[in-house]
Amino acid sequence: MAASNAPLAERVRPAALEDFIGQEHLVAPGKVLESIVRGGKAHSIIFWGPPGVGKTTLAQIIAQSLNMPFFTLSAIDSGVKDVRAVIEMARKAGHALLFIDEIHRFNKAQQDSLLGAVEKGIITLIGATTENPSFEVIGALLSRCQVYVLKPLNEEHLMALVKQAMVKDEWLAAQLINITEWEALMQLSGGDARRLLNLLELVASSLPDKDKAITNEIVQDIVQKKMALYDKTGEQHYDIISAFIKSLRGSDPNAAVYYLARMIEGGEDPKFIARRMVILASEDIGNANPNALLLATSCFQVVEMIGYPECRIILSQTATYLASSPKSNAAYMAINNAQALVARTGDLPVPLHIRNAPTGLMKKLDYGKGYQYAHDFEGNFAEQEFMPDAVAGTKLYDPADNASEAKQREYLRKCWKEKYGY
């Protein structure tokens, strides 16, 4: 095995932009990060991108190029106390660079604790996140940072990383390995450079002395025997969440809670799980059970407040409820149909009788003329056309066949008679 206890991905981590592979839109000569490294002055940054594309590496390269103290925190195991300790050390030093990995895992209070130091220039912050910072980073902090989006690595990048490692790492270079087939390595890495390099090390250390050729079959065999069942940053992350969502959609609470347990045991971000259930509650259950969206939204809020281990109970309650609810994608299909109609027909004029008329001129132009206020009529309904003339009478929402939406269909049929075919 390797002489160092550090994983291969850590041993061959680039220390300079010249050795960095990928993210050319940020690191090529004249691009923003190259300018920062060359100029020796950084602003606060949020790196947003999928796992294993270089967020941590770029932060470390920037840190090495600046003449200032450098601190690192992981949002997984750091709290407000740790942040305040770093700020105090930075204040004594005059200025410092702070890198926070997985900053999306910081709650509002933890992020708030950074604000003053970042605003006053005591801290230059570099945060890394796999989640959309618009949702996961508080607005006040986000406004003080420049967000740079890191792109997924392509196959050419990944192969270059492997070849670089086979030259750069002393132990790996001594193995005299020949990669004759790449497909399994590429597929199992899921585009994650860290996962790819550590997978390469696993395979290389498992090869018999007499055979140093890496083939698809050898990779698959070694992986099946030795790799973990769940990796929250790799291929299993996507496979398990897919199985979880399909189990919820397929009304199987047993399978749903099983895959939920797989994710919990694997250390998956509970907010990621809860967010996906919020989407499913609307996309796959919708008006068949409107309470599903309310419960899923509450679940996300509670998970954000309490975290593991207690939030596993709330996740289980919500998952089993969603799986056991009647299903309908009618609302989802309605917005798909509506967007397709808008794409085909463009910006059609709004009928005059339902336009707003806040000025005298607009009233003279008949804005709002002839509008019938529903509450002035029996049953709080007045039959009138709301769609633009060119698409009048188009049905976009078709209630599904379940008890809740059957009531909607009955009401719409009573109102509109035969107009929409309800």
Side-chain angles (χ1 to χ4, degrees):
M1 188 58 196
S4 170
N5 289 326
L8 175 63
E10 190 61 37
R11 301 199 304 272
V12 300
R13 188 186 294 276
L17 280 187
E18 292 77 16
D19 297 325
F20 187 88
I21 295 172
Q23 313 309 330
E24 290 84 359
H25 63 296
L26 296 175
V27 305
K31 299 299 182 180
V32 61
L33 297 186
E34 190 272 342
S35 299
I36 288 174
V37 169
R38 177 166 37 82
K41 186 174 182 180
H43 49 267
S44 290
I45 291 168
I46 300 289
F47 285 134
W48 173 29
V53 295
K55 298 184 292 295
T56 301
T57 298
L58 287 175
Q60 292 185 1
I61 290 173
I62 291 172
Q64 290 174 22
S65 72
L66 305 177
N67 185 24
M68 68 172 70
F70 175 56
F71 301 97
T72 298
L73 294 176
S74 171
I76 296 175
D77 49 25
S78 301
V80 172
K81 182 179 178 181
D82 302 290
V83 172
R84 288 175 177 165
V86 169
I87 291 172
E88 183 57 32
M89 288 186 284
R91 184 178 286 109
K92 290 179 179 178
H95 189 69
L97 185 71
L98 171 61
F99 173 64
I100 300 180
D101 195 17
E102 300 195 78
I103 194 171
H104 59 274
R105 290 179 180 262
F106 264 3
N107 60 32
K108 184 178 183 300
Q110 291 168 316
Q111 293 185 36
D112 279 339
S113 67
L114 291 162
L115 274 177
V118 172
E119 189 172 32
K120 294 174 184 177
I122 298 169
I123 289 288
T124 295
L125 173 67
I126 300 182
T129 177
T130 56
E131 303 291 333
N132 188 334
S134 299
F135 302 126
E136 301 298 335
V137 179
I138 59 174
L141 185 58
L142 192 61
S143 68
R144 291 163 173 80
C145 300
Q146 181 65 47
V147 176
Y148 295 122
V149 180
L150 275 66
K151 300 177 181 179
L153 299 176
N154 59 36
E155 191 169 295
E156 183 179 343
H157 291 138
L158 295 170
M159 292 177 71
L161 282 164
V162 168
K163 292 173 182 177
Q164 182 188 66
M166 292 172 68
V167 173
K168 189 175 180 180
D169 185 71
E170 184 177 340
W171 174 82
L172 190 58
Q175 304 306 304
L176 302 176
I177 289 168
N178 178 29
I179 302 177
T180 60
E181 295 177 324
W182 288 86
E183 290 82 358
L185 286 171
M186 295 294 107
Q187 183 180 22
L188 291 170
S189 73
D192 183 328
R194 179 175 52 251
R195 183 178 174 86
L196 173 63
L197 292 173
N198 292 336
L199 173 62
L200 173 65
E201 182 174 33
L202 172 66
V203 173
S205 64
S206 303
L207 290 174
D209 292 337
K210 64 179 180 179
D211 187 359
K212 292 299 182 180
I214 294 180
T215 66
N216 293 335
E217 184 179 357
I218 287 173
V219 171
Q220 291 283 4
D221 183 59
I222 292 172
V223 166
Q224 288 173 9
K225 290 179 180 177
K226 296 193 175 182
M227 288 197 73
L229 292 178
Y230 186 82
D231 179 353
K232 62 183 177 179
T233 63
E235 184 183 27
Q236 283 285 327
H237 165 84
Y238 300 102
D239 288 344
I240 299 296
I241 193 64
S242 175
F244 176 63
I245 294 300
K246 288 180 172 67
S247 299
L248 295 175
R249 182 182 296 132
S251 298
D252 188 341
N254 304 294
V257 80
Y258 165 76
Y259 290 115
L260 174 62
R262 289 277 296 273
M263 290 187 286
I264 291 171
E265 289 300 310
E268 183 60 81
D269 183 352
K271 289 192 291 183
F272 170 76
I273 302 171
R275 186 182 300 109
R276 293 300 298 267
M277 288 198 288
V278 172
I279 297 167
L280 177 131
S282 186
E283 178 180 345
D284 293 296
I285 297 174
N287 292 325
N289 179 8
N291 286 329
L293 181 57
L294 298 177
L295 181 64
T297 302
S298 296
C299 172
F300 181 84
Q301 293 170 341
V302 173
V303 162
E304 193 170 31
M305 285 190 292
I306 67 174
Y308 283 139
E310 291 86 354
C311 77
R312 68 189 181 92
I313 306 167
I314 293 88
L315 290 170
S316 178
Q317 178 188 351
T318 305
T320 51
Y321 182 86
L322 298 182
S324 304
S325 289
K327 304 300 187 293
S328 170
N329 70 345
Y332 170 67
M333 294 304 298
I335 189 60
N336 286 349
N337 294 337
Q339 287 182 284
L341 179 63
V342 170
R344 290 197 307 271
T345 58
D347 297 328
L348 298 174
V350 174
L352 281 173
H353 68 282
I354 58 171
R355 292 189 191 185
N356 190 30
T359 69
L361 175 61
M362 290 178 172
K363 290 177 181 177
K364 286 182 181 180
L365 294 174
D366 290 339
Y367 279 38
K369 183 179 180 181
Y371 171 62
Q372 300 176 60
Y373 184 58
H375 298 289
D376 289 341
F377 294 82
E378 183 179 354
N380 302 310
F381 175 78
E383 186 170 351
Q384 56 193 317
E385 184 59 64
F386 295 95
M387 296 279 271
D389 292 341
V391 291
T394 302
K395 181 170 74 171
L396 298 172
Y397 175 55
D398 189 15
D401 184 16
N402 57 73
S404 178
E405 287 178 284
K407 292 179 180 179
Q408 292 182 342
R409 184 182 294 277
E410 182 181 348
Y411 172 75
L412 293 170
R413 185 184 294 122
K414 177 183 176 182
C415 291
W416 295 104
K417 308 295 190 295
E418 301 300 323
K419 180 176 180 179
Y420 289 110
Y422 290 119

